[in-house]
Amino acid sequence: MKIRRINYLIGYILILLMVEFSVKMGNHHLILPEFAVLCVGVLALQEAHWIVNPFKIVLMPSITAILGFSINLLKIDYLFKIYLVILIMLVVLKIANSKLAPSFATGLLPIVTNTSHWYFILVVVGMTSILMLGVLLSGSYKNIQNPIKSLERDAMRQYL
């Protein structure tokens, strides 16, 4: 699969737009490191594991963002929140047969930054929707031939 320079340019422009939007809104919580990783992986590098199913580009980070946000609202110990969100994310990724690694960041970020505003979820859904649309329009996911294996149990144990 040939990757064009325009893919890199679009990815970096989206990252800069995210930062610009954050600055204009005066809210540093709108800068999502996982979105930058997704931009490079999905648009520039066209990581096969991530683009094979374009809808998971939105679905998986959104689910883990909701999980992390919800768990952060619980009145439990910080460390237990981290363990709980990692465990649930691993189960969700296994069930969904997904290897979309940036989903971990969207689950952990609301706990690490103590996000308590629902706009975090909207930003994740909005930004990943833009990426999904880019993959759908480019058709790059159609060229992937190897089926993606799900997370193996040993890999899940290593995370825990």
Side-chain angles (χ1 to χ4, degrees), residues 13 17 48:
I13 287 172
L17 287 173

Side-chain angles (χ1 to χ4, degrees), residues 102-149:
S103 297
F104 277 97
T106 57
L108 289 169
L109 194 64
I111 296 171
V112 172
T113 61
N114 197 26
T115 299
S116 58
H117 295 36
W118 55 269
Y119 63 81
F120 170 78
I121 296 167
L122 293 179
V123 169
V124 169
V125 171
M127 290 179 169
T128 55
S129 294
I130 292 169
L131 288 176
M132 179 193 70
L133 186 61
V135 171
L136 288 172
L137 291 175
S138 74
S140 58
Y141 67 99
K142 295 176 184 176
N143 301 326
I144 299 173
Q145 298 172 2
N146 296 342
I148 307 302
K149 295 180 183 177

Side-chain angles (χ1 to χ4, degrees), residues 9-23:
L9 182 62
I10 292 169
Y12 294 128
I13 287 172
L14 286 174
I15 294 168
L16 292 173
L17 287 173
M18 171 187 61
V19 173
E20 177 72 19
F21 181 70
S22 172
V23 169

Side-chain angles (χ1 to χ4, degrees), residues 42-58:
V42 167
L43 297 174
L45 301 177
Q46 295 184 355
E47 175 62 43
H49 290 95
W50 297 0
I51 65 174
V52 68
N53 185 340
F55 297 102
K56 286 185 181 178
I57 294 171
V58 176

Side-chain angles (χ1 to χ4, degrees), residues 18 26-27 29-30 32 37 39 62 85 87 92-93 104 109-110 117-118 124 130 144 147 157:
M18 171 187 61
N27 187 339
H29 285 110
L30 299 178
L32 304 175
V37 171
C39 281
S62 299
V85 77
L87 177 66
V92 167
L93 291 171
F104 277 97
L109 194 64
H117 295 36
W118 55 269
V124 169
I130 292 169
I144 299 173
R157 278 191 218 115

